[in-house]
């Protein structure tokens, strides 16, 4: 089974990179495991949002997964900050 055209191991690696980039941009303080989770969950959440709005996903492959994971992780960090307030 693959996620957005990448395998599971690639999804973990790219998700970790996307989560780390989101952590740097959003200036949050999370560990590597949370970065991986945020990148993967962020990609899934953003894909679901895009499909609900009838917008095409960013494509298939590593770069599309990285972009989707990064934007989704940033959204999750932002939502987490709103909830904590």
């Amino acid at each position: 089974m693959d996620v957005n055209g990448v395998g599971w191991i690639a999804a973990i690696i790219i998700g970790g990179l996307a989560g780390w980039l989101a952590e740097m941009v959003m200036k949050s303080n999370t560990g590597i495991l949370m970065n991986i989770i945020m990148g993967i969950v962020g990609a899934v959440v953003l894909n679901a949002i895009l499909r609900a709005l009838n917008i095409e996903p960013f494509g298939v492959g590593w770069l599309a997964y990285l972009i989707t994971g990064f934007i989704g992780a940033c959204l999750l960090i932002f939502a987490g900050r709103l909830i904590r307030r």
Side-chain angles (χ1 to χ4, degrees):
M1 179 174 236
D2 63 348
V3 177
N4 199 20
V6 298
W8 287 103
I9 294 174
I12 292 170
I13 294 168
I14 298 168
L17 182 60
W20 177 75
L21 289 172
E23 175 189 25
M24 294 294 124
V25 170
M26 299 295 288
K27 296 185 182 1
S28 66
N29 189 16
T30 59
I32 189 162
L33 182 61
M34 186 56 91
N35 287 343
I36 293 169
I37 292 169
M38 293 292 281
I40 294 172
V41 172
V44 171
V45 167
L46 186 60
N47 272 327
I49 291 170
L50 291 175
R51 288 177 197 256
L53 296 174
N54 289 327
I55 300 173
E56 286 292 317
F58 297 120
V60 178
W62 291 52
L63 185 59
Y65 191 80
L66 180 65
I67 293 168
T68 306
F70 169 71
I71 295 171
C74 287
L75 288 174
L76 289 176
I77 292 170
F78 179 74
R81 287 179 180 169
L82 285 178
I83 292 172
R84 278 189 243 163
R85 288 185 179 185

